[in-house]
């Protein structure tokens, strides 16, 4: 059996950050100011000498006017007709980040697996639709002024444009998030 696409170095997240920053004609100092992170830390990320946590990656994405998911996709932009992402795939994030991309590259959809504790300290608003599936544990979602309690096996569907936040409510919770990519025009 051929395991094409399984081997090789992990995604080049630093290169994706640098390309986006340069495309916007921004200095490291401007991105540092916008993200609240230090210039040396951003430089280390761009030069692949440091790996950001998911929280830091989200802050960088905010400073660059994009999303963490888009930066992860840009880090491994090779489009594949068939691709296997193994459980041990290097996501390019710091160890213990608690998030793993399940789809590599820039495609019509993205999927992430979140494991462990996740605080509801960040609000999300996506252009397109999103599905959350609680594989293990439990989660709580706030959307459109309502609270939804999800248990193992439950799904929650959000149409594009719905502001929401979520958190894991039990240790060991594993949530899969599948969404239509922001660069796709919804109907």
């Amino acid at each position: 059996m051929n395991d094409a696409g399984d081997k090789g170095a992990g995604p080049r997240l630093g290169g994706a950050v640098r390309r986006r920053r340069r495309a916007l004609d921004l200095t490291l100092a401007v991105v540092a100011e916008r993200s609240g992170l230090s210039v040396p830390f951003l430089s280390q990320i761009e030069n692949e000498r440091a790996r950001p946590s998911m929280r830091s990656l989200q802050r960088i994405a905010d400073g660059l006017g994009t999303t963490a998911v888009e930066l992860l996709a840009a880090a491994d932009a090779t489009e594949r007709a068939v691709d296997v992402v193994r459980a041990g795939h290097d996501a390019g994030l710091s160890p213990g980040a608690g998030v793993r991309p399940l789809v590599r590259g820039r495609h019509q959809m993205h999927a992430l697996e979140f494991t462990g504790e996740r605080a509801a300290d960040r609000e999300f608003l996506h252009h397109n639709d999103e599905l959350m599936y609680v594989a293990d544990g439990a989660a709580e979602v706030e959307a459109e002024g309502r609270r939804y309690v999800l248990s193992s096996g439950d799904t929650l569907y959000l149409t594009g444009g719905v502001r929401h936040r979520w958190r894991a409510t039990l240790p060991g919770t594993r949530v899969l998030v599948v969404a239509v990519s922001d660069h796709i025009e919804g109907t």
Side-chain angles (χ1 to χ4, degrees), residues 74-133:
D76 192 359
T78 305
E79 296 208 19
R80 302 162 178 96
V82 176
D83 188 27
V84 175
V85 178
R86 300 287 182 202
H89 173 72
D90 180 2
L93 296 169
S94 65
V99 64
R100 180 172 73 97
L102 301 175
V103 176
R104 294 186 284 200
R106 187 174 166 98
H107 296 284
Q108 293 184 12
M109 63 172 239
H110 63 260
L112 299 171
E113 176 187 58
F114 293 90
T115 305
E117 294 192 27
R118 185 84 35 213
D121 59 350
R122 179 180 172 86
E123 187 173 72
F124 298 96
L125 175 64
H126 303 293
H127 177 71
N128 290 319
D129 296 359
E130 176 178 322
L131 175 87
M132 295 179 72
Y133 171 72

